[in-house]
Amino acid sequence: MTIKMVADHAVWPKANDAIFGLAAKAKDAIAKYGKENVIDSTLGALVDDDGNLICMDTVYNELKSLPNADIAAYAQVAGQPDYLKAVQDACFKEYKPNAHIRAVATPGGTGSIRHAIWNYTNPGDSILVCDWFWAPYVTISEEFGRTVTNYKLFNEKGEFNIDSYKENFEALLNKQKRLVTVINTPANNPTGYSLSDEEWEQVLDIAKDNAKDKENKIIIVVDVAYIDYAGVGSERRKFFSKFSNLPENIFVIVGYSMSKGFTMYGMRSGAAIGISSNEDLAEEFYYSCMHANRANWSNGTRAAMSIMTNIYNDPSKLKAYENEVNKYKDMLRKRANAFVKGSKDVDLEILPYRDGFFVSIPCENAKKASDELIKEKIFVVALKKGLRFAVCAVSEEKCAVAPAAIKKVLDNLK
Amino acid sequence: MTIKMVADHAVWPKANDAIFGLAAKAKDAIAKYGKENVIDSTLGALVDDDGNLICMDTVYNELKSLPNADIAAYAQVAGQPDYLKAVQDACFKEYKPNAHIRAVATPGGTGSIRHAIWNYTNPGDSILVCDWFWAPYVTISEEFGRTVTNYKLFNEKGEFNIDSYKENFEALLNKQKRLVTVINTPANNPTGYSLSDEEWEQVLDIAKDNAKDKENKIIIVVDVAYIDYAGVGSERRKFFSKFSNLPENIFVIVGYSMSKGFTMYGMRSGAAIGISSNEDLAEEFYYSCMHANRANWSNGTRAAMSIMTNIYNDPSKLKAYENEVNKYKDMLRKRANAFVKGSKDVDLEILPYRDGFFVSIPCENAKKASDELIKEKIFVVALKKGLRFAVCAVSEEKCAVAPAAIKKVLDNLK
């Protein structure tokens, strides 16, 4: 190319989404060999045993019975007020922190992560993220001239690696005096790990200890994109109550998404929820995010907000919706259990799974492993440090047999 | 406040949207005095003579007959390929430039303006915008550490002020060697002005002249949010063909929005369409915007894309949709004509109106004028340099009588 027109910071490689490419290959294989002979574990969306995307009836019946004007009208820049109330109920359930809380509507969870990184870091800062992470944390950080530092998610016992977290947390904070740390729990993508309440205590103890230096500004971003499929009841939300009465220089931002819990991936709705013991700081968050909303996408998808509001404000609709979510949560749990058991039976090493859409298999040369698995008609996403198997997208029956097939391919690569 | 948690660049005043506040007051007045006694000219959306938001049947019937999975699924990061084709047809009609063209889906037109400013300027740069402008151009620029420079939109003859444009264009370009200039035409918000084809020639001549210096990078952003209500047929799209065979250091980005043309404000769909004589630069645009999509909102509203694709790929649906748009275009034209005639009859000075949702009335102390008009039960948005009357939201009958009432209030303020 002789000249460039975009500014230097906005030049990016010609990279298309690898997962979409793999999903297209899986689709071709299904057409060729029949769906019973293919395991398509590519996309991060709930799929039924026949390979069809699950779309909750309670959600789509609500959408299709909305008055057109409730879909057509602009939402307010920060989000519809009744939505901003409902989304807190949906997120926290009975574990709402005793704190000053403000919510702002965002497109999916991505918008909330983006706001946290843009609004709470300076150019050149590094964001703290574990080494098994959702790739867009890096995309977002790099887009804005920030970098990502990884700590080790697991120690040798397969628990949260609090030592690695502390070491990296303090090194970055001492250098930057300001730190955004993104914790993707419960149901981490890609491992399915969820921090225990005790592990959360340890994380918060480190933050509180470092908050004694009032010059330090600590921002804990909790990405709960998969929370609606975590645990059995609402026990995986208990940690929210630990965000009560924190020192004012610890600010918590919860990134909530409607994509998974409402099977509304394509409707782009979620929220950034700011939590502080200081009301001024909660207000500061609100107006900072509102300005960012206006400057990036103006306002959110009105229909998605109305759906949540209408469901949460009608006990019978809420009951029906919760029954439907729980049905799929059970389905997911059975699939994951089958995969975990299948792995144990054949001695396939997997990372500790607790909840959610994915299980991860650590391995060398994951790209090569993924390519070899394609020959076996198994489509699994290659990550830097292993393979991501999407139990959300594969039937229980196939989840039970996949580990043996994966084990065989990995052994052959050794 | 004792401490701040957000980074300095992300601290913003506690400012709520002024238009929403005024709209709420208008709603109260309607409840109190009856809708026949109130003129609510606040919101920038098509409203029927009874005060109801217009939602096109052809659009909402399509939405409500989409398979749920076509709403639920994630769209591709850059947008669905068939949408990215259809949106070019919708935007250019028969005047598609002879050039390399790439489209990327964005939330409404806002996302495209945001991408243009973020991707094509450096921190500290100034964006060139006319002095009657959509306020979010400033919000977007300031969010990213850019500023806005205004040229005068009109000369004393009420034509496009090419001298003021040239002077500011060259001053900024000489200083920055890179310039993003946003031209909101046809149907400028807030004036309703549309550049004539001759005025477009003058604008492009200035760009071409300055493009002779190969160090200069000129980015012309055309915000066509209201294009579907401009002109009678497609004559207001003729200028697009002038973007053929431009020098490679002139890059054109068209910001297209589905909000108005499809009465889908709340569904957040549009596109950034890049145009270049150099295919590499069109590709550079595509991957830069795709990265920015991923880093800000991940992907766009799938249902909105499907609606446009389905309508544009079915001649009978397209015919029905076009008939419906044209019906509202006629309605809008009649209202605007009534307002323009009413203004002439009472000697109310208005800016030259050609097309679209708004007419502007230049005046001193617009805020005071707006407040006084509220006492007359007329709700009009105050801008820095005048009042914005939304003919999109007011019946023809009221459009005819509003100018006399406004004239009276303005005269009393003198």
Side-chain angles (χ1 to χ4, degrees), chain A residues 1-17 20 44-45 53-57 60-61 63-77 80 107-108 110-112 114 117-123 134 136 138-140 142-146 178 214 216-219 226 248-251 257 259-260 263-268 278 280-281 283-288 290-303, chain B residues 1-17 20 44-45 53-57 60-61 63-77 80 107-108 110-112 114 117-123 134 136 138-140 142-146 178 214 216-219 226 248-251 257 259-260 263-268 278 280-281 283-303:
Chain A
M1 194 189 304
T2 50
I3 63 162
K4 274 187 312 165
M5 286 298 283
V6 305
D8 288 345
H9 65 268
V11 178
W12 295 105
K14 295 189 178 183
N16 290 298
D17 195 279
F20 266 109
L53 188 71
I54 290 169
C55 311
M56 292 185 185
D57 288 334
Y60 287 93
N61 291 345
L63 171 63
K64 291 193 169 172
S65 60
L66 285 178
N68 291 341
D70 206 15
I71 304 169
Y74 283 119
Q76 292 185 36
V77 172
Q80 296 303 92
T110 304
S112 63
R114 178 244 170 263
I117 290 176
W118 173 263
N119 290 337
Y120 285 86
T121 66
N122 287 310
W134 185 54
V138 173
T139 313
I140 296 168
E142 291 184 347
E143 171 82 8
F144 301 131
R146 280 71 166 163
R178 158 185 297 283
K214 293 296 170 196
N216 283 338
K217 296 176 199 294
I218 298 163
I219 297 93
Y226 297 90
E248 64 178 4
N249 54 339
I250 300 177
F251 195 88
S257 174
S259 295
K260 288 85 180 175
T263 58
M264 285 180 61
Y265 320 90
M267 285 289 276
R268 314 310 305 132
N278 179 330
D280 287 337
L281 296 177
E283 288 276 298
E284 180 193 62
F285 163 84
Y286 178 80
Y287 286 101
S288 186
M290 187 156 90
H291 195 278
N293 270 7
R294 189 54 157 149
N296 284 290
W297 49 73
S298 268
N299 43 69
T301 310
R302 170 82 171 236
Chain B
M1 193 190 303
T2 50
I3 62 161
K4 272 187 312 162
M5 286 298 283
V6 305
D8 288 344
H9 66 267
V11 178
W12 294 106
K14 295 189 178 183
N16 290 298
D17 194 280
F20 266 110
L53 188 71
I54 291 169
C55 311
M56 291 184 188
D57 288 334
Y60 287 92
N61 291 345
L63 171 62
K64 292 191 169 173
S65 60
L66 285 178
N68 290 342
D70 204 15
I71 304 170
Y74 283 119
Q76 292 185 37
V77 172
Q80 296 302 93
T110 305
S112 63
R114 178 245 170 264
I117 290 175
W118 173 264
N119 290 337
Y120 285 87
T121 66
N122 288 310
W134 185 54
V138 173
T139 314
I140 297 168
E142 290 183 349
E143 172 81 8
F144 300 131
R146 279 70 166 165
R178 159 186 295 284
K214 292 296 168 196
N216 283 338
K217 295 175 200 293
I218 298 163
I219 297 94
Y226 297 90
E248 64 178 3
N249 54 338
I250 299 177
F251 195 87
S257 173
S259 296
K260 288 85 180 176
T263 58
M264 286 182 59
Y265 320 90
M267 285 289 277
R268 316 308 305 132
N278 179 331
D280 287 336
L281 295 176
E283 288 277 298
E284 179 195 62
F285 163 86
Y286 178 80
Y287 287 100
S288 184
C289 288
M290 187 157 90
H291 195 277
N293 270 9
R294 189 54 157 148
N296 284 289
W297 48 74
S298 268
N299 44 68
T301 310
R302 170 81 170 235

Side-chain angles (χ1 to χ4, degrees), chain B residues 135-172:
Chain B
Y137 295 145
V138 173
T139 314
I140 297 168
S141 299
E142 290 183 349
E143 172 81 8
F144 300 131
R146 279 70 166 165
T147 61
V148 165
T149 298
N150 294 126
Y151 64 94
K152 287 198 168 63
L153 177 57
F154 296 110
N155 61 21
E156 60 294 336
K157 285 187 275 182
E159 298 159 346
F160 184 74
N161 195 328
I162 194 72
D163 294 332
S164 176
Y165 181 76
K166 183 173 195 283
E167 185 188 332
N168 286 280
F169 180 100
E170 294 184 343
L172 284 175

